[in-house]
C-alpha cells in the first residue's frame, strides 16, 4: 500500500502484476526469491523488494507534493519505530495464535504506546510533520489502519481523537481510493494494467 502511494504521488507509470501470495508466480520468484510483496523490477534490472525502498526510489524520481520536505533523520526514526516495535506488537495483536499466544491483548497495549505518540504529535498539525501530508504519514498509516481494523469497535472508542481523524482523512482521500482499486490476479501471459498514477 505505501509503495503504491509513493508511486502514485510521484506520478510514475508502472505495469502491475497483482499476485496472490499463496500462489506465487514463478516470474516473481525468479527476480525475488524471498517471495514477498512489493517487488519493483526497474528497467535497468534493479529489483526493489521493500516498500520503503520503493518509496525512496519513487520520490527520488519525482516529488511534486514535497513529501520529502521534512527532517530526514526525524522522519526515518519515526518510521523505524513503526516498522520495528509497533509492527512487532501489531503482528502479535492481530495473529496471536500464529505466535503461540492465547490472545493479543498484551501486544495491543504495547502498540498503544505508538498510537498515543502519534495522537500527541497531531496536537498542533493535521499531519505528522506539519499541515500537509508527507512521506512519514504515507509510510505509517497503512499499519495504523491494520491496527484499527483488528478490532474497530475497540479502536473507535479510544481517546485518540486526533489519530482517528488523521486515519479517516487518509482512508477517505482520493489518492487512497485510486491505489485500492482491485485488479484481477496476474498469471503468466496476462496483459498487465499500466497504472497512470495520476496525481
Amino acid at each position: 500500500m505505501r509503495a503504491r502511494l509513493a508511486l502514485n504521488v510521484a506520478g510514475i507509470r508502472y505495469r502491475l502484476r497483482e499476485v496472490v501470495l499463496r500462489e506465487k508466480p514463478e516470474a516473481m520468484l525468479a527476480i525475488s526469491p524471498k517471495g514477498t510483496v512489493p517487488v519493483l523490477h526497474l528497467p535497468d534490472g534493479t529489483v526493489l523488494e521493500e516498500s520503503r525502498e520503493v518509496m525512496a526510489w519513487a520520490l527520488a524520481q519525482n516529488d511534486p507534493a514535497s513529501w520529502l520536505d521534512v527532517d530526514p533523520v526525524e522522519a526515518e526514526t519515526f518510521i523505524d519505530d513503526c516498522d520495528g516495535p509497533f509492527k512487532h506488537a501489531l503482528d502479535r495483536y492481530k495473529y496471536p495464535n500464529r505466535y503461540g499466544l492465547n490472545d493479543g491483548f498484551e501486544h495491543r497495549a504495547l502498540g498503544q504506546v505508538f498510537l498515543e505518540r502519534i495522537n500527541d504529535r497531531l496536537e498542533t498539525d493535521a499531519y505528522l510533520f506539519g499541515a500537509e501530508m508527507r512521506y512519514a504519514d504515507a509510510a505509517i498509516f497503512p499499519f495504523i489502519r491494520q491496527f484499527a481494523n483488528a478490532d474497530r469497535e475497540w479502536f473507535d472508542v479510544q481517546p485518540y481523537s486526533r489519530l482517528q481523524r488523521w486515519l479517516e482523512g487518509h482512508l477517505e482521500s482520493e489518492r487512497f481510493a485510486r491505489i485500492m482499486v482491485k485488479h484481477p490476479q496476474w498469471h503468466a501471459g496476462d496483459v498487465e494494467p499500466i497504472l497512470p498514477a495520476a496525481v
Side-chain angles (χ1 to χ4, degrees):
M1 186 183 299
R2 59 188 186 177
R4 289 190 190 191
L5 283 167
L7 289 166
N8 185 276
V9 77
I12 293 172
R13 291 170 61 85
Y14 60 97
R15 296 180 183 274
L16 176 70
R17 293 182 175 181
E18 189 73 47
V19 303
V20 175
L21 289 178
R22 64 177 177 272
E23 302 174 23
K24 298 170 185 174
E26 288 300 321
M28 172 186 168
L29 294 174
I31 63 168
S32 180
K34 66 183 288 192
T36 61
V37 293
V39 177
L40 182 63
H41 191 195
L42 300 177
D44 67 1
T46 300
V47 176
L48 304 180
E49 300 176 295
E50 299 290 341
S51 56
R52 284 174 73 173
E53 288 183 326
V54 176
M55 293 186 82
W57 176 84
L59 296 172
Q61 311 310 303
N62 189 33
D63 184 20
S66 301
W67 274 18
L68 295 177
D69 187 18
V70 293
D71 180 322
V73 174
E74 188 179 10
E76 291 295 338
T77 299
F78 211 90
I79 298 167
D80 285 343
D81 291 343
C82 174
D83 289 9
F86 179 72
K87 182 66 164 54
H88 182 273
L90 167 63
D91 290 342
R92 285 152 184 80
Y93 168 41
K94 283 183 63 178
Y95 310 112
N97 294 339
R98 186 180 295 178
Y99 296 95
L101 304 171
N102 292 326
D103 59 57
F105 296 141
E106 177 182 349
H107 288 87
R108 182 173 73 182
L110 293 172
Q112 283 184 266
V113 174
F114 193 66
L115 300 187
E116 292 166 2
R117 182 176 167 194
I118 294 177
N119 193 66
D120 290 346
R121 190 175 181 92
L122 294 170
E123 182 174 2
T124 56
D125 290 302
Y127 294 94
L128 295 174
F129 286 87
E132 303 293 336
M133 182 174 176
R134 295 290 184 253
Y135 166 65
D137 297 280
I140 290 170
F141 110 80
F143 295 113
I144 303 301
R145 173 178 176 264
Q146 287 185 43
F147 197 96
N149 287 345
D151 185 344
R152 195 58 194 247
E153 288 186 8
W154 173 87
F155 179 82
D156 287 344
V157 298
Q158 298 309 301
Y160 308 135
S161 58
R162 293 184 294 271
L163 167 65
Q164 291 154 349
R165 188 164 51 248
W166 172 84
L167 177 60
E168 285 306 306
H170 289 298
L171 297 178
E172 294 172 1
S173 70
E174 291 183 12
R175 191 177 307 284
F176 181 72
R178 285 197 295 269
I179 67 127
M180 292 299 285
V181 171
K182 299 296 184 184
H183 297 275
Q185 180 182 356
W186 180 84
H187 298 91
D190 288 352
V191 174
E192 303 150 342
I194 299 175
L195 301 190
V199 178

